[in-house]
């Protein structure tokens, strides 16, 4: 019998990664992302985001890094029909392309709030304790700061998610010391060390780090 710690084969990984098939709307959004050099979330991680949004019956979600709308589409497909996605990106052109993707999906305009600007300038203006999910796929060097903002923005029981948590196999290799790898490695360590978070690191796509904000009864804080 194979050990449960044996590495998954490339065939099995590909099977799992493509288990949920992307339709024409997602493929068109992915093509838009490629045209402008925006690296979209993988299909496996996107499916995981949709599942997460569905399980939480998410009504309010923050996305850091709009791209051309690939991850936004996955999130919206899992959210409640009345849910609102707030998505932040420094590139206004990326957000214009994302709006095309959302239009292709038939998403009502009032369900998506696009905000152009730096995440660390925008996030402090959002409402404390209001969001079910905060998903980060922005500047990797700012991931630690995104975590601090997410803990403020999330309701108890909400979940913060980070894409690229394995960063092209560099995070697990201590010899890799570039700024982005070091920042993501520090984030992974901080999440496991933070009281009040229940973490999991999923080896889908380029790694998806999730952490649930534990509900603390009033008066026990």
């Amino acid at each position: 019998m194979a050990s449960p710690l044996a590495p998954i084969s490339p065939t099995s990984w590909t099977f799992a990664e493509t288990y949920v098939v992307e339709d024409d709307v997602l493929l068109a959004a992915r093509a838009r992302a490629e045209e402008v050099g925006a690296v979209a979330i993988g299909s496996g991680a996107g499916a995981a985001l949709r599942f997460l949004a569905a399980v939480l019956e998410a009504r309010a979600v923050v996305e850091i890094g709009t791209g051309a709308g690939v991850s936004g589409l996955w999130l919206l497909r899992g959210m409640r029909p009345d849910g609102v996605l707030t998505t932040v990106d420094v590139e206004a052109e990326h957000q214009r392309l994302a709006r095309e993707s959302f239009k292709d999906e038939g998403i009502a305009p009032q369900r998506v709030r696009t905000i152009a600007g730096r995440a660390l300038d925008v996030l402090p203006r959002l409402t404390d304790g209001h969001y079910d999910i905060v998903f980060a796929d922005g500047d990797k060097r700012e991931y630690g700061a995104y975590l601090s903002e997410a803990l403020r923005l999330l309701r108890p029981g909400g979940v913060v998610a980070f894409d690229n948590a394995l960063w092209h196999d560099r995070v697990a290799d201590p010899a890799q010391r570039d700024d982005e790898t070091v920042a993501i490695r520090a984030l992974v360590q901080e999440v496991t060390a933070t009281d009040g978070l229940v973490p999991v690191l999923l080896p889908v796509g380029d790694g998806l780090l999730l952490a649930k904000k534990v509900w603390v009864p009033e008066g026990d804080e």
Side-chain angles (χ1 to χ4, degrees), residues 71-146:
S71 52
L73 284 170
W74 280 113
L75 286 163
L76 285 160
R77 289 181 179 189
M79 293 168 64
R80 292 169 50 113
D82 59 346
V84 176
L85 173 69
T86 299
T87 182
V88 183
D89 201 296
V90 294
E91 297 288 348
E93 174 64 9
H94 291 184
Q95 293 193 321
R96 184 188 68 78
L97 295 174
R99 285 191 289 269
E100 290 185 16
S101 299
F102 300 146
K103 183 178 179 181
D104 287 350
E105 178 76 355
I107 300 294
Q110 62 268 25
R111 291 196 60 206
V112 181
R113 179 170 59 154
T114 57
I115 304 176
R118 289 186 64 252
L120 295 181
D121 294 331
V122 174
L123 297 177
R125 305 202 301 265
L126 302 182
T127 304
D128 292 9
H130 177 69
Y131 297 92
D132 303 294
I133 299 171
V134 175
F135 170 60
D137 190 13
D139 188 334
K140 313 311 172 192
R141 295 165 297 182
E142 296 180 346
Y143 267 19
Y146 296 162

Side-chain angles (χ1 to χ4, degrees), residues 64-65 88-90 117-124 134-150 160-163 167 178-188 190:
I64 303 166
V88 183
D89 201 296
V90 294
R118 289 186 64 252
L120 295 181
D121 294 331
V122 174
L123 297 177
V134 175
F135 170 60
D137 190 13
D139 188 334
K140 313 311 172 192
R141 295 165 297 182
E142 296 180 346
Y143 267 19
Y146 296 162
L147 175 63
S148 298
E149 291 293 334
V160 60
F162 293 89
D163 193 26
W167 197 232
D178 61 278
D179 290 347
E180 291 170 319
T181 301
V182 168
I184 298 172
R185 189 179 294 131
L187 168 78
V188 172
E190 182 178 0

